[in-house]
Amino acid sequence: MLERAGSEGLFVGRLGESARLAECADRVRAGESWLAVVEGEAGIGKSALLRRFAASLDDHTVLWATADASETGFSGGVVGQLTRRVDRELLAQFPLLAGEPSAGATPHAVGGQLLLLLGALQEAGRPVAVVVDDLQWADRLSIQVLGFVLRRLWADRVLTVVATRPDAEATAEPLDRLLRSLDRTVKLELRGLGDGEVAQLAQGLVEGRLAAGLIERLYAYTQGHPLYVRMVLAEVPAAALHDGVLERWPVPPSLRVGIRAQLNRLPKGARDLLAALAVLDARVPLATAGRLAGVADPVRALGPALASGLAQWWPMEHQSPVALVHALHRDAVYETLTPERRRALHAGAATVVSTAAGWAHRVAAAGGPDARLADELEESGMREAAHGRNALAATRLLWAASLSEHRDEHERRLLTACAQSLLTMLPGWSAKLRPEVEECAPGPLRSCVLGVMDMMAGQFAAAEAHLERAWQDALAQPAADWVAVLAGTFLANITLWHGRGAQTVEVARRTLAIGDLDPATTDFTRAALATGRLWHQGPRAALKDLTHLPDDGSAVPDHSLDTLATRGVLRLFLGELAPARADLQTAAARDRQGAGAKMGPLTLALLSVVHYLAGDWNESESVADRALAVAAAHDQLLGDAAARFSAVCVLAGRGEWDAALDHVDNLERLAKTLGASTEIVYWSLAGATVAQARADHPAMLRALTPLLDGTPGSAGGPVRLRYRPFGLWQQSLLVEALTGCGQPEAAAAALEEMRQAFDGTGYLRVVVARLAGLVAEARGRPHDALEIYEQAVAGAADPADASPLHRALLEQDYGRLLLATRAASRRTAAMWLHTAHGRFSALRATPFVQRCEARLAAGGLTAPPQAPSRLLALTERELSVAYVVAGGRTNQEAAAELYVSQKTVEYHLSHIYAKLGISSRRQLGEALRALES
């Protein structure tokens, strides 16, 4: 065939797809962020479309990455590619991006720094394009980071374009969730070229006029697949293309067969060079490929390889790298090699690539069992495991298993490989090896691996049985090792998940006693022990397990952040808001900086709850938004329920019923799907909190029913709570619900239980006093209630542990009862109702404000005039930015805390200043305080 010069870069068709991508770019230029997903089978032209489109973005800063099947175990590899060409001085400002991410790096910490980098790149006035080809092969951390970043591009000019395959298991579910969660997305499905586009491609590839009817036959034969079109035309003699004398196509519709035919016509030097590139399977210097191929003049050999369309060359780059054009080309060339030739080339490749890349070549060069290489691979894998690089460790251990000479070695390495793979919390290839695992000899490691596999498949009863057996068998061995630690860690999580605190304490205690745990694992296990104690004996007892922590949370080392966050949670449950906030804020800040705490999503969610109770509702909304984004980034259910509950609190308090109930519905699905005690607590509390905001006491009682032993109103004895987390909060809602439902004696019994568990600290003093007054009223003792209310409102509450909502509820009930009993002047009663009204108004707690106004009106009183707050003109995102900046942060510090870019902060600040009538950040704090007063 005669092929036009320069036809290797020919691009035809895709006009509609190109136009839609160009439209996305225009919208980004106008100030929006967009995601475009290009989906299509291998070889359909995704990469060509991305390259052509990226080349048109001459006014964008383009960050490019191509994922590779051989690098899915390199955590953060795609993120590293995206930042590779960023100015080193700029990149040095973001430590988690400047080097290889640490083993414990979390997607939200890395994503937070990538957001800051994207903001810094936009400061030059240019939009940014983030392009990722072959997303289906991206490592898990990079996929999570990209998802997190895309959800936090609030006011940025960033265009993200990713290409993936429709059958990509690893990315299909997270990508689908991402598309559903974003507003500005477009999905392009690439199919074969049309007949007119096939004609254009053929005319571009072939010199001269083509024979009549040939294009129709070519289109029908290839279905417009671009690579197939090129291969078929390469096989058809030029004369046949022009005169049409062609009875049948010379090759079947198989790319591999076509490539073999092409290779047969190439000079030996070109064939050898292409064989070396197929074995290396990467971009390499031309000299390296030539040396491996044994070609004396690689430049001369490269010419025919380029003309065939199988190779590509970057002559202007350092060391003139070369590679095969497509993975399909690589597979086809590789299949033409004899076993002996493959072995020789892999053995040679191991000597010319890096040590890390060389392992795969050494394995491929092994002709059978190789005890020495298997030992080396196991040693290397365990080194990677010690640094937390579990995916790499798993791959090398699996290779070691395949090269083992003896069955016991093979099984031990296979099981260890599966264990390391499962530690990534993704089943991956290890799930497909279950039949082989089941064939292994019984033992602790086999039981442990089967248990974790069952847990990830949602088979929790079977998982617990396997893990319990693994743990007990491992402990019975003379020297309990990492298998006991692994089994104990997962077993403690299962027992804790189901609320079996005493068992969790025992498992965690014995796991800690094994010793030789790294500091982070030790801390996580300590946190599990304390949380188990919480479920078993309550938060005050659990605090005794955390006495190793210094009083000042800022002095806690990074490897102890899980226990610090746990201490903050326990203090929250006890009602001690100020110390709870200090601990949780410290843990959240360190986690944001990349400390890698395992409780990151939970920490943010419960910090949001602290802000809600302390009356910082705008801050609570902002932190809940971040908690939801962080939980979504982890692609796990851990933290999702807590984040949704934290969001419900303010939404319910402000009467945003649809949004609040949407979260409650999701919490119900989680609770019923997982059947875990933690999810049940969050679901029930969320439903009861919404019902409380609506003053619907029967609905409160219904929402709390899953938390109760016994049925309210039945004759079956006292009603008690099953679970201790948020125990005092649960109990307070129960007392209020029973009182409102006309069950004063049951309410009194529940209140007495609450008093016995309460040690008189924190904001709960006000809550207990108000409930005592409500119970006294319900039992027909209004004067006792008045005395209780009077003493409570006269008490000097510690401002650090005050809860404006509960204080206002107390003042409202006091004022209401004063009016009803006429025990004081109308002026005194009105004063307390007006005070409550002011607190509710400051919180913008609409349902509570409305009920307070109704009570004033019922007593012939009017609510104090309230000037319309200009805060209502600020959006939720503007409020988030305003309060963080007013706290004294710089724009970059505010961006880091909010997990957004600096550009987003600047964008929202300009709108905030305009709406509040101010001109600088110095005026912002004063303006916010004035508007809230």
Side-chain angles (χ1 to χ4, degrees), residues 577-589:
L577 300 183
R581 175 151 43 185
D583 283 348
L584 292 169
Q585 282 181 327
T586 298

Side-chain angles (χ1 to χ4, degrees), residues 400-488:
S402 69
L403 297 174
S404 300
E405 292 182 335
H406 304 292
R407 177 172 178 172
D408 60 338
E409 291 179 331
H410 168 79
E411 290 185 354
R412 174 173 53 79
R413 288 163 174 164
L414 171 69
L415 292 170
T416 307
C418 288
Q420 291 297 327
S421 174
L422 292 167
L423 282 172
T424 66
M425 299 309 293
L426 283 177
W429 51 258
S430 60
K432 299 175 183 178
L433 293 176
R434 178 159 191 142
E436 291 185 47
V437 171
E438 291 176 339
E439 288 293 324
C440 291
L445 184 52
R446 175 184 179 274
S447 297
C448 184
V449 169
L450 289 173
V452 181
M453 285 180 171
D454 285 332
M455 187 181 76
M456 291 188 177
Q459 305 296 323
F460 297 112
E464 184 172 351
H466 280 303
L467 289 168
E468 176 71 30
R469 186 181 307 115
W471 189 61
Q472 295 289 356
D473 289 350
L475 288 175
Q477 294 179 349
D481 60 3
W482 67 275
V483 179
V485 172
L486 184 64

Side-chain angles (χ1 to χ4, degrees), residues 207-227:
E207 293 280 2
R209 184 180 180 83
L210 297 175
L214 184 137
I215 294 300
E216 289 81 357
R217 295 175 62 192
L218 179 62
Y219 173 73
Y221 186 68
T222 63
Q223 294 299 303
H225 194 292
L227 277 181

Side-chain angles (χ1 to χ4, degrees), residues 339-682:
E340 294 80 6
R341 181 67 170 146
R342 289 185 192 180
R343 180 177 181 179
L345 285 172
H346 278 297
T351 67
V352 299
V353 299
S354 67
T355 302
W359 288 113
H361 291 295
R362 293 181 65 188
V363 172
D370 186 327
R372 180 178 177 182
L373 179 55
D375 289 343
E376 291 180 33
L377 281 163
E378 182 176 19
E379 183 181 346
S380 172
M382 296 312 292
R383 280 199 303 270
E384 297 293 350
H387 288 92
R389 293 187 281 268
N390 305 107
L392 276 179
T395 298
R396 291 181 189 167
L397 286 160
L398 190 63
W399 288 339
S402 69
L403 297 174
S404 300
E405 292 182 335
H406 304 292
R407 177 172 178 172
D408 60 338
E409 291 179 331
H410 168 79
E411 290 185 354
R412 174 173 53 79
R413 288 163 174 164
L414 171 69
L415 292 170
T416 307
C418 288
Q420 291 297 327
S421 174
L422 292 167
L423 282 172
T424 66
M425 299 309 293
L426 283 177
W429 51 258
S430 60
K432 299 175 183 178
L433 293 176
R434 178 159 191 142
E436 291 185 47
V437 171
E438 291 176 339
E439 288 293 324
C440 291
L445 184 52
R446 175 184 179 274
S447 297
C448 184
V449 169
L450 289 173
V452 181
M453 285 180 171
D454 285 332
M455 187 181 76
M456 291 188 177
Q459 305 296 323
F460 297 112
E464 184 172 351
H466 280 303
L467 289 168
E468 176 71 30
R469 186 181 307 115
W471 189 61
Q472 295 289 356
D473 289 350
L475 288 175
Q477 294 179 349
D481 60 3
W482 67 275
V483 179
V485 172
L486 184 64
T489 300
F490 280 106
L491 181 59
N493 276 276
I494 287 181
T495 57
L496 188 59
W497 210 26
H498 289 292
R500 298 202 297 272
Q503 188 177 356
T504 302
V505 169
E506 178 64 10
V507 173
R509 183 189 65 77
R510 295 185 67 181
T511 301
L512 285 168
I514 295 170
D516 295 328
L517 282 71
D518 63 89
T521 303
T522 298
D523 190 65
F524 183 65
T525 309
R526 274 181 163 176
L529 189 152
T531 308
R533 188 93 63 194
L534 157 70
W535 282 88
H536 180 46
Q537 296 176 291
R540 185 62 68 188
L543 279 175
K544 296 176 182 177
D545 293 310
L546 304 178
T547 54
H548 67 286
L549 294 171
D551 291 338
D552 181 5
S554 63
V556 170
D558 283 351
H559 61 70
S560 293
L561 291 183
D562 287 326
T563 50
L564 178 65
T566 301
R567 187 175 73 179
V569 172
L570 297 175
R571 287 171 162 175
L572 163 63
F573 292 165
L574 289 166
E576 300 169 0
L577 300 183
R581 175 151 43 185
D583 283 348
L584 292 169
Q585 282 181 327
T586 298
R590 299 274 198 85
D591 182 55
R592 187 170 62 245
Q593 293 159 8
K598 295 178 177 63
M599 293 178 61
L602 186 63
T603 300
L604 276 176
L606 296 184
L607 177 59
S608 169
V609 174
V610 172
H611 288 313
Y612 162 75
L613 291 170
D616 298 323
W617 283 18
N618 294 317
E619 181 69 4
S620 177
E621 272 192 307
S622 176
V623 177
D625 173 69
R626 281 172 260 164
L628 287 165
V630 168
H634 283 250
D635 291 331
Q636 294 176 10
L637 297 179
L638 177 64
D640 193 49
R644 289 189 180 278
F645 168 65
S646 70
V648 164
C649 292
V650 172
L651 289 171
R654 288 183 168 159
E656 298 177 29
W657 309 121
D658 289 344
L661 290 173
D662 181 63
H663 284 301
V664 174
D665 289 343
N666 278 288
L667 285 166
E668 180 179 11
R669 280 192 289 272
L670 276 173
K672 291 183 175 179
T673 299
L674 300 175
S677 302
T678 49
E679 275 65 28
I680 293 172
V681 170
Y682 286 122

